Amino acid sequence: MRELIEKIYAKRLEKSLRKENLPKSVMVVTDFPSLKRNFEKFLQFIDWCKKFSIENVVICVDSLDNSFVNNFSKLEAEVELIGKNGVRKFGKGLPKVYVNVGITGKEEILLAVKEILKKNNLSEIDLNSIERMIEENLRFKIQPDLIIKADDSVPEFLIWQIVYSELYFIDADWESFRYIDFLRCLRDYQRRERRYGR
């Protein structure tokens, strides 16, 4: 009975969503044990994003076991695993899935500045262009519209990019995260008036 009620409620939520005002990019924060334990849930989550034409999914995880990396080949999507030592790409299709492996926001900015210094003579850097140069050298180019946090980990990733992101905290962990929770995230996103710092 409960399953039937949830299906009816999910259909009602789907109908209430407007197609023109959905996030283009969604970021989720987790830790490796939770990702490993609930990997099928994350695959489902990516399918849900695909259903609503969300173009980019960023998964921020504190670490990743090398033997676990092959699990991402199950995705029918373009995947970029981005760590401190570089990027590994595979697969094709949408949404694009970016996996941040242990790069904190502070480390990413420091890595970007290091790249700027490597590419430019320090004396040639104009203070007015430093923001643009940092953005060009960040590992993650996208700016998530919506961040969904469903466990105890504190978001410390992509601190430059998420300055105008909408945050959605749920009182559940990834194991119990349901399709209707995802739909509620989208509904809440559509109800917010985004000011982008103004």
Side-chain angles (χ1 to χ4, degrees):
M1 184 68 173
R2 182 179 174 179
E3 195 175 309
L4 178 62
I5 291 169
E6 279 192 9
K7 280 185 180 179
I8 293 167
Y9 182 52
K11 286 290 178 195
R12 183 177 290 174
L13 281 171
E14 283 177 349
K15 286 180 182 176
S16 72
L17 294 171
R18 302 183 312 279
K19 291 182 180 178
E20 70 277 359
N21 188 27
L22 289 168
K24 297 272 186 262
S25 302
V26 173
M27 179 174 123
V28 297
V29 180
T30 188
D31 55 30
F32 180 56
S34 183
L35 178 70
K36 191 173 184 178
R37 208 171 41 250
N38 302 299
F39 192 68
E40 293 302 317
K41 180 72 71 174
F42 284 97
L43 294 179
Q44 265 188 328
F45 180 84
I46 290 164
D47 283 340
W48 300 339
C49 288
K50 186 183 290 190
K51 182 175 181 176
F52 287 91
S53 301
I54 294 170
E55 297 169 6
N56 303 294
V57 177
V58 181
I59 299 173
C60 293
V61 63
D62 54 352
S63 62
L64 203 59
D65 188 327
N66 283 335
S67 63
F68 188 77
V69 168
N70 289 334
N71 287 291
F72 287 97
S73 63
K74 295 178 182 177
L75 294 173
E76 293 179 14
E78 184 178 327
V79 178
E80 285 189 24
L81 293 172
I82 304 173
K84 294 172 192 173
N85 298 321
V87 179
R88 182 174 171 191
K89 298 181 182 182
F90 48 87
K92 289 184 179 178
L94 291 172
K96 287 186 177 181
V97 178
Y98 301 88
V99 184
N100 176 353
V101 184
I103 303 176
T104 66
K106 183 178 178 181
E107 288 170 330
E108 187 186 15
I109 291 170
L110 291 173
L111 287 166
V113 171
K114 189 175 176 182
E115 286 299 311
I116 290 168
L117 295 175
K118 203 187 296 183
K119 293 175 185 174
N120 298 277
N121 181 334
L122 183 58
S123 62
E124 294 175 3
I125 297 178
D126 182 331
L127 290 176
N128 293 329
S129 63
I130 197 74
E131 182 177 343
R132 177 185 51 78
M133 294 171 82
I134 287 174
E135 286 179 352
E136 287 172 358
N137 288 281
L138 290 172
R139 301 277 171 112
F140 292 86
K141 308 296 183 202
I142 63 164
Q143 297 179 353
D145 298 309
L146 176 65
I147 299 171
I148 301 170
K149 186 182 165 304
D151 58 21
D152 293 333
S153 50
V154 176
E156 59 172 343
F157 305 99
L158 281 68
I159 56 175
W160 185 283
Q161 299 92 327
I162 67 171
V163 69
Y164 300 127
S165 300
E166 296 295 325
L167 301 173
Y168 191 89
F169 295 84
I170 61 169
D171 191 21
D173 58 17
W174 285 110
E175 189 173 353
S176 54
F177 188 79
R178 303 162 299 169
Y179 181 57
I180 59 172
D181 297 316
F182 174 72
L183 294 172
R184 285 173 176 156
C185 292
L186 297 183
R187 181 187 63 187
D188 186 74
Y189 175 83
Q190 288 192 332
R191 288 178 173 174
R192 295 183 187 189
E193 182 184 348
R194 303 193 72 200
R195 296 179 179 269
Y196 302 95
R198 294 188 297 273

